[in-house]
Amino acid sequence: MKKKRKIPMRKDVISGEMFPKKELVRIVRDKEMNVELDPTGKKAGRGAYVQVNVAAVKKARDEKILDQVFSVTLPPEFYTTLIDYVDHIQARRELMKNDQL
C-alpha cells in the first residue's frame, strides 16, 4: 500500500486562508529589508505567501497589506512586478488546464 504524501499548506497573507504551497507565490524580505519575489521558495529571510490571483494582489496593493506584513514601505514598481508575475502564472495555469481537457 502506497503511503499518502502530506501536502504542505501555507497561509495567504491577503485572505488569511490556507492553500497548498504550490498554489501560492512566496515573497521574501531579507536582513537588509529588501523585499523581492521568491519563485524558488528557497531564499533566506522572512517569507509571506500570496495566492495566484491578480485581483487579490491588487487588493494587497491598494490596502498596502505587504507593507504591513514586512514592516517596510514598498515602491509601486514592486506591486507592478508582482501583478505581472501573478498574471503570467495565472495565464500559464489556464493554458495547462485547457491542454489537459
Side-chain angles (χ1 to χ4, degrees):
M1 193 169 178
K2 198 172 186 179
K3 188 178 176 186
K4 192 172 182 182
R5 288 188 70 178
K6 189 176 174 209
I7 298 171
M9 302 290 281
R10 297 291 182 268
K11 185 184 274 192
D12 169 29
V13 295
I14 300 167
S15 69
E17 293 179 61
M18 298 293 283
F19 292 98
K21 191 175 170 183
K22 286 184 176 182
E23 292 180 18
L24 301 168
V25 175
R26 184 172 188 254
I27 301 164
V28 67
R29 183 194 73 202
D30 62 20
K31 288 179 183 169
E32 288 79 42
M33 304 299 272
N34 298 317
V35 177
E36 57 189 342
L37 295 175
D38 182 12
T40 63
K42 292 177 171 42
K43 289 185 182 175
R46 161 85 168 87
Y49 293 86
V50 296
Q51 60 183 317
V52 180
N53 180 327
V54 174
V57 175
K58 286 181 179 177
K59 176 186 174 191
R61 176 193 62 197
D62 297 341
E63 297 179 14
K64 301 205 179 302
I65 293 172
L66 294 173
D67 297 52
Q68 294 165 17
V69 168
F70 290 120
S71 303
V72 296
T73 301
L74 294 169
E77 300 81 43
F78 174 79
Y79 284 104
T80 303
T81 303
L82 178 59
I83 290 167
D84 291 346
Y85 182 73
V86 167
D87 186 46
H88 174 76
I89 292 175
Q90 211 173 357
R92 279 186 60 192
R93 287 185 180 171
E94 287 298 316
L95 281 172
M96 299 296 269
K97 200 178 350 178
N98 291 339
D99 285 349
Q100 291 175 353
L101 295 177

